[in-house]
């Protein structure tokens, strides 16, 4: 039995070492990664819950509060924390130990940071594969917290079964942006830090917008740092996971698209690309489009 076959056979939510090993193989595309992915078996319908929103909205605090609630029923929970990537070392700038310290050593919670690896939207194809490894391990709930810059809010809809957009009262100034884009992907809104001024105003505005669109999406008020409003959000999550996801075909198409995209890019190394362009960029008559065409 190969090492990767042993990892796969040991892959379950009670064996965190095997889960971590499988994720490392997949994330770094080590030998046997494709075999491991093709051999994944999904025996339960685990909801993938996307938590997104602008920086400073308290997403990690909310996830911590949701985890604390779900642990009361003996659930096993996995968290993928998507961190911004340093353009210099392609690593993760934020650490899961800092952001999720309250549950880092809990036997019912598995936490893993994942760098965006240069994906402009904040999600990489690896996110999809790693989420599937966690699903195959049999966790009861999987949370994916995005970095919340630019397109990541929209992209998470192509991966999550339930997408929760977290805002703070100060986000009221961005209500037009919310109307134009993010409304399309959210299954629910959480106005966090609801003890601040304008929390009611933002909540009412969100409700009006959803009513105008005919979606009637739930809008929750919460103070995640104090555990307030968490029960209602949990009730929504546990109810929504049993409903038929009307976006299923879109979700699968999005996954397939990213996997195909990744496979077609396997021979392109970003570091090598950077070195090559450094050599040629200073040459007379350098044309970026001709340079790119040489790779296509």
């Amino acid at each position: 039995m190969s090492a990767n076959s042993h990892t796969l056979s040991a892959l379950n939510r009670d064996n965190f070492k095997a889960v971590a090993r499988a994720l490392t193989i997949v994330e770094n595309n080590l030998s046997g990664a494709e075999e491991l992915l093709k051999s994944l078996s999904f025996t339960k319908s685990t909801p993938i819950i996307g938590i997104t929103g602008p920086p400073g909205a308290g997403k990690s605090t909310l996830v911590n509060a949701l985890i604390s609630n779900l642990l009361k029923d003996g659930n096993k929970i996995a968290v993928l924390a998507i961190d911004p990537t340093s353009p210099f070392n392609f690593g993760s700038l934020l650490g899961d130990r800092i952001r999720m310290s309250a549950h880092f050593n809990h036997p019912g919670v598995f936490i893993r940071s994942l760098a965006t690896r240069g994906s402009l939207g904040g999600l990489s194809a690896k996110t999809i594969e790693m989420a599937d490894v966690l699903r195959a391990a049999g966790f009861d709930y999987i949370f994916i917290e995005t970095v919340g810059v630019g397109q990541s809010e929209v992209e998470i809809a192509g991966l999550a079964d339930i997408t929760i957009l977290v805002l703070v009262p100060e986000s009221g100034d961005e209500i037009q942006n919310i109307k134009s884009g993010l409304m399309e992907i959210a299954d629910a809104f959480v106005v966090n830090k609801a003890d601040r001024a304008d929390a009611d105003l933002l909540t009412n505005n969100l409700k009006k917008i959803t009513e105008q669109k005919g979606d009637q999406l739930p809008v929750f008020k919460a103070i995640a740092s104090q555990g307030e409003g968490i029960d209602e959000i949990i009730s929504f999550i546990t109810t929504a996971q049993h409903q038929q996801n009307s976006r299923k075909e879109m979700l699968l198409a999005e996954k397939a698209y990213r996997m195909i995209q990744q496979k077609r890019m396997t021979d392109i190394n970003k570091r090598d690309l950077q070195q090559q362009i450094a050599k040629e960029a200073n040459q007379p008559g350098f044309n970026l489009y001709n340079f790119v065409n040489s790779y296509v």
Side-chain angles (χ1 to χ4, degrees):
M1 179 182 290
S2 68
N4 288 340
S5 297
H6 177 72
T7 296
L8 187 61
S9 65
L11 185 63
N12 69 76
R13 64 184 195 172
D14 296 316
N15 189 340
F16 282 10
K17 286 186 177 180
V19 172
R21 195 177 304 119
L23 290 174
T24 297
I25 291 170
V26 169
E27 180 181 11
N28 297 293
N29 203 29
L30 301 179
S31 175
E34 188 168 353
E35 171 197 344
L36 190 154
L37 288 168
K38 288 180 178 178
S39 301
L40 292 178
S41 176
F42 307 104
T43 57
K44 65 187 296 183
S45 179
T46 302
I48 296 178
I49 303 151
I51 306 290
T52 191
K59 297 185 293 294
S60 294
T61 306
L62 177 64
V63 172
N64 275 330
L66 294 172
I67 290 173
S68 294
N69 189 299
L70 290 169
L71 286 173
K72 295 175 184 176
D73 295 325
N75 290 297
K76 285 292 183 87
I77 302 161
V79 180
L80 272 182
I82 312 299
D83 289 330
T85 303
S86 164
F88 304 106
N89 62 18
F90 302 96
S92 177
L93 289 177
L94 300 175
D96 49 30
R97 291 176 185 268
I98 297 172
R99 305 206 302 173
M100 304 284 178
S101 57
H103 297 105
F104 189 78
N105 292 317
H106 195 287
V109 184
F110 178 89
I111 303 170
R112 178 75 168 240
S113 281
L114 173 64
T116 56
R117 295 175 178 264
S119 170
L120 292 177
L123 298 181
S124 71
K126 288 299 174 189
T127 313
I128 297 167
E129 296 174 355
M130 294 172 75
D132 278 339
V133 169
L134 294 173
R135 282 205 304 131
F139 285 94
D140 296 301
Y141 294 90
I142 298 170
F143 286 93
I144 298 182
E145 180 195 334
T146 75
V147 66
V149 289
Q151 283 294 109
S152 63
E153 290 93 343
V154 177
E155 288 192 2
I156 192 64
L159 172 60
D161 298 304
I162 303 168
T163 301
I164 297 176
L165 178 58
V166 186
L167 301 167
V168 286
E170 294 81 1
S171 302
D173 295 336
E174 305 165 10
I175 200 73
Q176 293 303 319
N177 294 329
I178 296 170
K179 287 173 67 174
S180 62
L182 303 185
M183 294 294 297
E184 305 299 325
I185 60 96
D187 296 302
F189 296 91
V190 172
V191 177
N192 193 25
K193 306 179 184 180
D195 51 341
R196 294 183 179 179
D198 296 332
D200 289 336
L201 178 63
L202 176 59
T203 300
N204 291 332
N205 283 340
L206 288 170
K207 288 180 178 178
K208 288 178 183 177
I209 294 170
T210 59
E211 287 171 3
Q212 289 171 1
K213 294 177 69 67
D215 292 333
Q216 293 283 296
L217 299 179
V219 181
F220 302 102
K221 287 200 300 181
I223 307 175
S225 60
Q226 299 175 25
E228 294 185 18
I230 301 303
D231 288 344
E232 292 81 359
I233 302 170
I234 290 291
S235 178
F236 165 75
I237 289 173
T238 53
T239 302
Q241 77 176 88
H242 297 298
Q243 298 175 354
Q244 183 65 34
N245 191 336
S246 60
R247 298 185 309 215
K248 193 64 176 178
E249 290 78 10
M250 184 274 285
L251 297 174
L252 290 173
E254 181 74 12
K255 287 184 179 183
Y257 178 85
R258 291 194 171 277
M259 290 175 186
I260 293 168
Q261 184 182 54
Q262 181 185 1
K263 287 184 179 297
R264 290 188 175 182
M265 290 288 289
T266 51
D267 61 331
I268 305 297
N269 183 290
K270 197 169 184 179
R271 292 176 189 268
D272 293 342
L273 183 68
Q274 189 174 2
Q275 292 173 357
Q276 189 63 32
I277 204 169
K279 289 180 182 178
E280 300 187 22
N282 294 322
Q283 298 298 319
F286 172 78
N287 183 295
L288 180 62
Y289 302 96
N290 287 331
F291 176 84
V292 170
N293 197 55
S294 68
Y295 281 84
V296 176

